[in-house]
Amino acid sequence: MGGGRTRRMPRAERERQMLDAAVEIIARHGYTAASMDEIAELAGVSKPLVYLYLNSKDDLFTACIRREAAALTEAVRAAVRPNLPADRQLWDGVQAFFTYTAEHPDGWTVLHLQARTHGPRFAAEADAMRAEMTAFVTRLIATAALESPHSRDLSTREIEGLAAALIGAVESLADWTNTTPTATAAQASATLMNFAWSGLGNLMSGNRWAPPGAASAARP
Amino acid sequence: MGGGRTRRMPRAERERQMLDAAVEIIARHGYTAASMDEIAELAGVSKPLVYLYLNSKDDLFTACIRREAAALTEAVRAAVRPNLPADRQLWDGVQAFFTYTAEHPDGWTVLHLQARTHGPRFAAEADAMRAEMTAFVTRLIATAALESPHSRDLSTREIEGLAAALIGAVESLADWTNTTPTATAAQASATLMNFAWSGLGNLMSGNRWAPPGAASAARP
């Protein structure tokens, strides 16, 4: 990249390069070990310019988390059409989720792991996104339950637990896809639906799992 | 605690107190922000004694992760009897898991979040435990699949994906139980089995979820 072209680059574009570099370095080394020198070098700018644009390492991290959360949330939102059946909405949503996280593995690492473990300020940013995803899934499960005569007795607490389980399954499958060389977003989506929605479908049909010899114990 | 009694305490007992304090402080503030002064104070010892026993903050963190991983693994192992049916083994295992993590929420935070985000040395300790749990669940799903005429065609890849989804659901439910005041380990266990084993049961019966208008797309 020539010096002349570098100087003419608009601020938004320059900032995007800094965030790209920061996400990559933070995902690779962890936030604490990530060095502003390395981030500046990867972005092709001077370290003082990073501080001029983003103010501090903490502010840079916050900007990374916000950008990645907004992009992932927007990818899912754009894929889901609220007028379709609940399982179709979930299918479209998880496909978009796994496609996005597979294409942005460093962004996913920053959001899922780094943001949650370096103090409440950063955790709050990631929690907001996770809460939005959980609310989306909770609403889908509640909608499906209302439509089934066998599952109207699912308690709010139980639906919240099921949503927490589903979100955890999605997060773990995103990690699995990103660390298993031949796994794909399409496979992760199919596995999630086979695992989760079939289980929920059983539940909606009134078929609860029960431990042997204690037929009611699996009912919270 | 009297000074005389303090001096007579055996080394193992003193070390246990230091690890207890470190787990609590690391879970509360995160590893980076956790202060050795605060850990020593909570343990009721001098900071030099912590360094004498555990050598460094990194070694103290490693000792915490190892202890918590070993205790959780042992709790699950003690509950599972390998001669019982696969779903019963999973039920016993998840009950033990949720009971342990609900009784040791700080240990769970250290294992699930802190250990995975402060560099490869600590992540390797937590990954070893997660790999053992995943292998256990993979074996149970493979066993159940072999016993079902409808699911002999489940690929190894698909079984690995299902195990990753199930482990993620367990982890998320452990977090949910620890952050939802009235949720219990028993409820988390029942929700997991209703969600996961019922879904797996559907799959074992040859009932895959399929997206509307694309009957084969949910098959990886």
Side-chain angles (χ1 to χ4, degrees):
Chain A
M1 185 184 304
R5 186 175 298 170
T6 301
R7 277 192 296 276
R8 282 197 304 272
M9 189 177 287
R11 174 167 179 144
E13 174 67 9
R14 173 79 71 219
E15 201 168 303
R16 191 187 60 73
Q17 286 185 340
M18 292 179 189
L19 294 181
D20 286 347
V23 167
E24 184 176 332
I25 298 295
I26 291 169
R28 192 188 303 163
H29 302 306
Y31 177 62
T32 308
S35 115
M36 292 293 267
D37 285 310
E38 202 175 352
I39 291 168
E41 192 186 332
L42 185 63
V45 299
S46 70
K47 193 161 74 168
L49 195 66
V50 179
Y51 282 106
L52 182 68
Y53 276 33
L54 277 316
N55 192 45
S56 69
K57 191 180 170 189
D58 278 6
D59 285 353
L60 173 61
F61 190 28
T62 303
C64 288
I65 298 167
R66 281 191 189 158
R67 187 185 72 164
E68 297 303 317
L72 177 54
T73 305
E74 183 48 37
V76 172
R77 187 179 291 136
V80 172
R81 282 151 294 174
N83 54 324
L84 294 183
D87 65 338
R88 180 57 193 251
Q89 288 189 52
L90 186 63
W91 169 244
D92 291 335
V94 298
Q95 281 188 302
F97 187 96
F98 290 133
T99 300
Y100 189 87
T101 54
E103 285 170 357
H104 304 84
D106 291 339
W108 173 242
T109 298
V110 166
L111 273 181
H112 180 49
L113 290 176
Q114 293 300 324
R116 295 163 73 192
T117 51
H118 294 91
R121 173 180 165 187
F122 308 119
E125 300 283 343
D127 285 349
M129 181 200 71
R130 200 174 193 271
E132 190 172 338
M133 298 274 183
T134 303
F136 167 62
V137 169
T138 302
R139 185 170 52 74
L140 292 184
I141 297 173
T143 302
L146 272 177
E147 288 166 358
S148 162
H150 301 287
S151 56
R152 290 206 187 111
D153 58 341
L154 275 180
S155 68
T156 304
R157 163 77 48 73
E158 203 165 0
I159 289 172
E160 284 172 4
L162 291 166
L166 198 152
I167 291 289
V170 166
E171 291 173 336
S172 184
L173 278 169
D175 290 344
W176 179 73
T177 307
N178 285 350
T179 54
T180 304
T182 53
T184 65
Q187 286 172 328
S189 304
T191 297
L192 189 278
M193 292 306 283
N194 273 324
F195 176 73
W197 199 259
S198 294
L200 291 169
N202 253 346
L203 210 53
M204 301 304 168
S205 312
N207 299 319
R208 286 168 190 267
W209 179 88
S216 66
R219 178 148 202 171
Chain B
M1 184 185 304
R5 186 176 295 169
T6 301
R7 276 193 297 277
R8 282 197 305 274
M9 190 177 287
R11 173 166 179 144
E13 173 67 11
R14 174 77 74 218
E15 201 168 304
R16 191 187 61 71
Q17 286 185 340
M18 293 178 190
L19 294 182
D20 287 347
V23 166
E24 185 176 331
I25 299 295
I26 292 168
R28 191 186 306 162
H29 302 306
Y31 177 62
T32 308
S35 114
M36 292 294 267
D37 285 310
E38 201 175 353
I39 290 168
E41 191 186 333
L42 185 62
V45 299
S46 69
K47 193 162 74 168
L49 195 64
V50 179
Y51 281 106
L52 183 68
Y53 275 32
L54 276 315
N55 192 47
S56 67
K57 190 180 171 189
D58 278 5
D59 286 353
L60 173 62
F61 189 28
T62 303
C64 288
I65 298 166
R66 282 191 188 159
R67 188 185 70 163
E68 298 303 318
L72 177 54
T73 305
E74 184 47 38
V76 171
R77 189 180 288 137
V80 172
R81 284 151 293 176
N83 55 323
L84 294 182
D87 66 336
R88 180 57 192 253
Q89 288 188 53
L90 186 64
W91 170 243
D92 291 337
V94 298
Q95 281 188 302
F97 187 97
F98 289 133
T99 301
Y100 190 87
T101 53
E103 286 170 355
H104 304 84
D106 289 340
W108 172 242
T109 298
V110 166
L111 274 181
H112 180 50
L113 289 177
Q114 292 299 325
R116 295 163 74 192
T117 49
H118 294 91
R121 174 180 165 188
F122 308 118
E125 301 283 344
D127 286 348
M129 183 201 69
R130 199 173 195 271
E132 191 172 336
M133 298 275 183
T134 303
F136 168 63
V137 169
T138 303
R139 186 169 51 74
L140 292 184
I141 296 173
T143 302
L146 273 176
E147 287 165 0
S148 161
H150 301 288
S151 56
R152 289 205 187 113
D153 59 340
L154 275 181
S155 69
T156 304
R157 161 76 48 74
E158 204 166 358
I159 289 172
E160 285 172 3
L162 291 166
L166 197 152
I167 291 289
V170 166
E171 292 173 335
S172 184
L173 278 169
D175 290 344
W176 179 73
T177 307
N178 285 349
T179 52
T180 305
T182 52
T184 66
Q187 286 172 329
S189 304
T191 297
L192 189 277
M193 292 306 283
N194 273 325
F195 175 72
W197 200 260
S198 294
L200 291 170
N202 253 348
L203 210 53
M204 300 303 169
S205 313
N207 299 320
R208 287 168 189 268
W209 179 87
S216 65
R219 179 150 202 169

